[in-house]
């Protein structure tokens, strides 16, 4: 008999692409509040970003997965606007960094300055000490400056002059990037790309959405009127609720199978890392919660595999010559990797 104060368990059946999947899981608290609050955040962002509901959903998913987002596309399609809209939708500390070739690592992390009155060095925190950090055009800075974000994004801490400083919670980096073929840009190193949970491309809007944009943005920018719809404490509670979303052993193995398939694909010379497996599961938990489910199904992994895995991969010489992108390779692997057909935990 279960203890009186235990969380009730529930068994759910779901028909996925590979067959019937049965899972027994605990119902996490605050799931209904998560869906409601996340819906308010999405509505606030979509009041500014027209016709990009998938990109907005992915942005909120990454936030609830305690991850970082890379927004990549040509100039003028709303990359920075999306990042700023999320930041303004939450009543939290926000800092924006414009990456330029002359930006130094200390301009991001902070620096120890000598105080003549106390005759001691004092640490002056940089813009990285915020809940949401917007890095605009991150690939315009030198690789040395880009590397300043590695420890921050992975360990949520900053080390300056041998002293480690913890970052605030929640902490999220939203970076925008122009295509590397454009003049004055540096490609992000593999270690840097691997820190980003997902990558999203905005794409050009549909004509109807662009027409509505002209009507809405023609006079004033709607982001100036955007008010917070959630607090930092609410976001912390949502993240905690997402951590309780159940993932069966079969679904975990399916995630590993997808990642391992990238390492053995002849079309790729660099496969996905173990870090990507962990972030895929975290993102799948958030995706399931936003779908009002307290358990992850294979469909969650399939919908997230391209944005979570593709930006970490490097195509082979042959694939590059055939103009096969990592996104296409991952999509093919999703169709080839068998979906689990197991029952129970």
């Amino acid at each position: 008999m279960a203890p009186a104060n235990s969380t009730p368990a529930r068994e759910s059946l779901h028909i996925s692409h590979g067959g019937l999947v049965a899972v027994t899981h605990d119902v996490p608290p605050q799931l209904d509040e998560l869906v409601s609050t996340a819906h308010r955040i999405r509505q606030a962002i979509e009041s500014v970003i027209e016709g990009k509901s998938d990109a907005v959903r992915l942005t909120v998913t990454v936030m609830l997965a305690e991850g970082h987002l890379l927004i990549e596309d040509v100039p003028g399609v709303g990359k920075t606007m999306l990042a700023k809209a999320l930041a303004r939708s939450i009543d939290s500390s926000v800092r924006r960094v414009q990456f330029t070739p002359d930006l130094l690592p200390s301009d991001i992390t902070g620096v120890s300055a000598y105080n003549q009155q106390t005759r001691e060095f004092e640490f002056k925190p940089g813009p990285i000490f915020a809940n949401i950090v917007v890095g605009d055009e991150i690939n315009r800075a030198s690789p040395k400056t880009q590397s300043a974000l590695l420890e921050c994004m992975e360990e949520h801490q900053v080390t300056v002059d041998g002293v480690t400083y913890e970052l605030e919670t929640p902490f999220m980096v939203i970076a925008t990037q122009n295509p590397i073929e454009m003049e004055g840009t540096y490609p992000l190193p593999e270690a840097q790309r691997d820190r980003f949970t997902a990558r999203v491309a905005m794409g050009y809007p549909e004509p109807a959405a662009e027409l509505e944009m002209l009507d809405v943005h023609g006079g004033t920018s709607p982001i100036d009127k955007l008010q917070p719809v959630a607090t930092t404490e609410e976001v912390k509670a949502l993240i905690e609720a997402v951590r309780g979303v159940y993932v069966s052993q079969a679904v975990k193995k399916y995630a590993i199978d997808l990642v391992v398939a990238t390492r053995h694909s002849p079309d790729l010379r660099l496969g996905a890392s173990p870090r990507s497996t962990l972030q895929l599961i975290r993102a799948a938990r958030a995706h399931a919660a936003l779908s009002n489910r307290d358990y992850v199904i294979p469909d969650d992994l399939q919908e997230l595999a391209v944005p979570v895995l593709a930006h970490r991969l490097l195509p082979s010489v042959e694939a590059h010559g055939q103009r096969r992108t990592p996104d296409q390779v991952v999509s093919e692997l999703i169709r080839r990797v068998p979906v689990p057909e197991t029952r129970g935990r």
Side-chain angles (χ1 to χ4, degrees):
M1 184 175 178
N5 59 352
S6 64
T7 303
R10 181 194 305 169
E11 183 177 83
S12 299
L13 297 177
H14 177 77
I15 300 178
S16 184
H17 295 306
L20 190 64
V21 179
V23 294
T24 304
H25 49 89
D26 295 331
V27 180
Q30 303 174 327
L31 185 59
D32 291 338
E33 295 181 17
L34 184 153
V35 175
S36 176
T37 304
H39 181 67
R40 293 201 308 270
I41 295 174
R42 288 179 59 186
Q43 279 189 321
I45 300 174
E46 289 180 0
S47 69
V48 177
I49 304 296
E50 305 290 343
K52 296 296 177 183
S53 58
D54 291 341
V56 173
R57 179 185 174 92
L58 181 61
T59 302
V60 177
T61 298
V62 172
M63 179 187 68
L64 297 182
E66 302 176 87
H68 310 287
L69 182 67
L70 179 63
I71 309 175
E72 183 181 74
D73 217 317
V74 297
V77 293
K79 301 187 300 297
T80 304
M81 188 69 72
L82 173 60
K84 291 170 66 177
L86 174 64
R88 292 205 179 192
S89 299
I90 303 170
D91 188 13
S92 60
S93 57
V94 180
R95 298 294 296 273
R96 179 178 177 272
V97 181
Q98 178 64 55
F99 281 73
T100 56
D102 60 346
L103 191 72
L104 299 176
S106 59
D107 294 330
I108 300 174
T109 59
V111 64
S112 294
Y114 184 72
N115 188 323
Q116 293 184 348
Q117 293 181 344
T118 62
R119 296 185 178 181
E120 294 179 347
F121 281 93
E122 295 180 354
F123 178 65
K124 303 295 184 181
I128 199 67
F129 287 86
N131 295 120
I132 298 179
V133 179
V134 180
D136 206 6
E137 296 185 304
I138 187 175
N139 60 334
R140 289 199 179 277
S142 66
K144 179 181 180 180
T145 302
Q146 292 175 9
S147 65
L149 292 172
L150 294 179
E151 180 186 16
C152 310
M153 295 173 66
E154 180 66 18
E155 303 174 45
H156 290 195
Q157 65 182 30
V158 176
T159 302
V160 178
D161 295 335
V163 180
T164 299
Y165 305 90
E166 297 294 328
L167 296 175
E168 300 181 52
T169 301
F171 172 68
M172 180 182 185
V173 173
I174 306 176
T176 69
Q177 173 177 255
N178 294 326
I180 62 173
E181 292 81 4
M182 291 198 166
E183 185 178 356
T185 59
Y186 302 84
L188 292 181
E190 288 80 5
Q192 182 75 58
R193 292 201 308 270
D194 201 40
R195 257 65 170 189
F196 287 100
T197 299
R199 179 193 62 185
V200 61
M202 298 293 292
Y204 291 111
E206 295 294 329
E210 193 162 1
L211 179 61
E212 185 176 356
M213 179 191 70
L214 294 178
D215 295 333
V216 175
H217 297 244
T220 59
S221 175
I223 198 170
D224 296 333
K225 301 178 181 179
L226 190 61
Q227 298 295 321
V229 295
T231 65
T232 303
E233 293 303 318
E234 285 178 317
V235 173
K236 288 181 181 179
L238 300 184
I239 291 174
E240 189 63 32
V242 166
R243 291 174 182 169
V245 173
Y246 176 72
V247 186
S248 69
Q249 290 298 320
V251 173
K252 291 178 182 177
K253 185 179 183 302
Y254 180 53
I256 294 175
D257 290 342
L258 286 172
V259 173
V260 170
T262 66
R263 301 170 189 166
H264 298 294
S265 173
D267 294 318
L268 301 172
R269 57 187 175 93
L270 177 65
S273 66
R275 181 189 288 115
S276 65
T277 313
L278 178 61
Q279 294 186 347
L280 180 60
I281 289 295
R282 288 178 177 174
R285 281 192 170 106
H287 190 273
L290 291 176
S291 301
N292 208 13
R293 276 185 283 103
D294 53 5
Y295 57 95
V296 176
I297 59 177
D299 301 60
D300 296 317
L301 300 179
Q302 292 174 347
E303 289 190 37
L304 292 168
V306 171
V308 172
L309 300 180
H311 67 284
R312 311 168 193 267
L313 311 176
L314 292 179
S316 64
V317 177
E318 293 78 9
H320 189 271
Q322 298 172 0
R323 298 183 179 275
R324 288 168 51 77
T325 65
D327 298 55
Q328 294 172 333
V329 175
V330 174
S331 297
E332 292 177 3
L333 293 178
I334 292 173
R335 292 191 291 268
R336 284 166 32 193
V337 175
V339 179
E341 298 185 27
T342 58
R343 291 177 176 270
R345 291 197 178 202

